[in-house]
Amino acid sequence: SRSEEARLFYTAVTRGERYLYVTGAANLPGGARARKTSDFARRLINAEIVNDAQLMPAGLTNVPQVRRVDETILPTSFSQVRYYLRCPMDYRFRQGFGFSPSIPDLFGFGKTVHTAVEKLHERYADSSPTEQEAANLAEAVFHLKHVPQSRDPVNAPGPYERAKAKAVEIVATYSTSYGQDFQRSRQVEARFEIPAQDCVISGAIDLLLRENAQGQIVDAEVIDFKAIEGGDDPLQNTELDWTDLALQVQLYAKAAQQVLGENARTGSVHLLKDNQRLTVPVDDAAIAAAVDNVEWAVQGILAADFPMRPHPAKCAECDFGMLCPKQAQQFRFTDRQPSLIQLSNGSEAVRSFSQFQP
């Protein structure tokens, strides 16, 4: 009986003996139960069906491995490619190894400010909002997922409340300083995909469309809103990567021209924290150089070429500085350096080359 089996098992365990019983294996906790063969399996009768998992069918030939057809075109976004252009090893840590940097305290601040600016243009498409109207809208849409709110926001405001106050100030200042953006203008955000060599570039574009009295579009400007600060001389600010900022605007200008059907004559980066708007070249030469950099990076990614390109200034701010050996390496997949990025005050190579210490 089962009670007798349990008694014998308990007695053997207390004596330190190894006790196996044939008929009661399935009764033990975690014991394997014999499974019935299904009626469907019983009807599978064929000479080619075998039960030996190690037996391979006769007549098999080895075929060389090839990349799947749908992998020859690499769908990507600029937010991914820019890590390769900064340092290919940085890209490998993120996309290859799947490492994620720690979440900063105010993660999402730039996104919520950007959302407030978008909502401002949606709600006030024909006239400029007042400073108070802009402040009220910014306060209504503000949200930080990873920052808890203070239990007493009035008497003891915390990081969440201070960030909200700063966001309200930024949006209110923008509405008063750039009120002309709302006069016969409208801002739209559109998703896009543009083909390039070996890749498809996807993203979202901010367009400021200027219209005449009849509602016809007479001009389109690509604006990249960034919740960052430029300082007294943003173009000379070493904390800003202008090759990164300019390249993004130039790619979006290409999308505006080829995908959205709008002729983007001007492009700019709007630094929201100190309310500065700086122009970026978006002529044919500038756009061609930007596309060349993306295609060059995609070729390196497909070739699995991820050299380390260290530099003291770059490595000091890297999320993976504690993991990386920081050994200078050259590219294997090509000897060609991509085109220089066209800036408003000259041209410069991406940081894989401009910030590299052999």
Side-chain angles (χ1 to χ4, degrees):
S1 65
R2 294 198 175 189
S3 59
E4 180 64 17
E5 291 176 354
R7 186 186 66 79
L8 293 174
F9 176 75
Y10 175 77
T11 303
V13 170
T14 54
R15 293 176 181 175
E17 299 175 356
R18 181 177 298 174
Y19 180 68
L20 298 177
Y21 53 105
V22 177
T23 59
N27 300 323
L28 293 174
R33 291 182 178 273
R35 295 184 178 181
K36 290 179 57 179
T37 304
S38 68
D39 295 336
F40 174 77
R42 290 196 186 97
R43 292 195 295 269
L44 294 177
I45 302 174
N46 193 289
E48 296 183 358
I49 299 178
V50 296
N51 295 323
D52 187 356
Q54 303 298 323
L55 182 63
M56 297 295 292
L60 294 181
T61 58
N62 292 328
V63 177
Q65 295 183 356
V66 295
R67 187 184 296 273
R68 295 188 306 178
V69 175
D70 59 355
E71 289 182 348
T72 58
I73 301 299
L74 178 68
T76 187
S77 66
F78 173 73
S79 60
Q80 296 175 339
V81 172
R82 67 188 182 96
Y83 293 120
Y84 191 92
L85 294 172
R86 179 170 63 186
C87 177
M89 194 62 187
D90 188 330
Y91 178 92
R92 191 178 192 187
F93 275 121
R94 296 174 188 271
Q95 305 298 326
F97 298 153
F99 292 164
S100 299
S102 59
I103 298 176
D105 293 337
L106 294 181
F107 179 77
F109 178 81
K111 180 62 176 178
T112 191
V113 172
H114 189 277
T115 301
V117 172
E118 288 180 1
K119 294 295 182 182
L120 206 62
H121 280 273
E122 289 179 7
R123 186 168 299 179
Y124 301 94
D126 301 321
S127 60
S128 302
T130 65
E131 185 175 356
Q132 187 59 47
E133 289 172 336
N136 292 340
L137 187 146
E139 187 171 1
V141 302
F142 183 83
H143 176 67
L144 287 181
K145 180 179 180 180
H146 301 282
V147 181
Q149 301 183 37
S150 173
R151 295 183 179 179
D152 188 3
V154 177
N155 299 317
Y160 185 94
E161 288 70 29
R162 289 191 291 271
K164 176 188 282 189
K166 184 62 178 178
V168 170
E169 177 188 346
I170 289 173
V171 177
T173 303
Y174 167 74
S175 66
T176 56
S177 301
Y178 289 87
Q180 70 273 13
D181 286 356
F182 301 88
Q183 301 297 328
R184 289 185 181 176
S185 300
R186 58 187 175 93
Q187 185 205 26
V188 297
E189 182 184 45
R191 304 291 303 178
F192 69 86
E193 289 185 349
I194 53 177
Q197 181 180 354
D198 297 327
C199 67
V200 177
I201 306 169
S202 62
I205 182 174
D206 287 322
L207 275 179
L208 187 63
L209 304 178
R210 302 189 186 280
E211 302 173 338
N212 57 21
Q214 290 73 37
Q216 298 173 336
I217 298 175
V218 296
D219 188 21
E221 179 180 3
V222 177
I223 302 180
D224 188 14
F225 290 96
K226 298 290 187 182
I228 55 180
E229 187 174 353
D232 296 334
D233 190 355
L235 295 177
Q236 301 300 324
N237 189 344
T238 57
E239 295 182 0
L240 301 180
D241 182 6
W242 276 105
T243 59
D244 187 348
L245 296 172
L247 197 154
Q248 187 169 8
V249 171
Q250 289 155 359
L251 288 177
Y252 291 177
K254 177 180 175 65
Q257 293 177 2
Q258 296 189 0
V259 180
L260 304 179
E262 303 294 348
N263 184 14
R265 299 182 179 89
T266 55
S268 58
V269 176
H270 193 109
L271 308 177
L272 287 167
K273 279 195 173 181
D274 49 5
N275 206 31
Q276 299 188 70
R277 183 175 294 181
L278 296 98
T279 60
V280 172
V282 291
D283 54 22
D284 292 341
I287 293 176
V291 173
D292 179 61
N293 275 265
V294 172
E295 293 178 344
W296 177 89
V298 169
Q299 291 171 16
I301 294 171
L302 291 175
D305 190 11
F306 305 105
M308 290 174 275
R309 308 288 285 181
H311 186 275
K314 185 168 57 178
C315 295
E317 62 182 19
C318 180
D319 294 318
F320 311 105
M322 299 292 291
L323 301 176
C324 184
K326 305 180 184 65
Q327 298 175 356
Q329 298 173 328
Q330 300 296 333
F331 289 95
R332 292 181 289 102
F333 79 99
T334 182
D335 295 330
R336 184 181 73 88
Q337 178 177 328
S339 304
L340 299 179
I341 301 298
Q342 302 300 311
L343 309 177
S344 57
N345 60 343
S347 59
E348 186 177 341
V350 292
R351 289 206 283 175
S352 282
F353 294 92
S354 64
Q355 285 189 336
F356 173 59
Q357 192 173 70

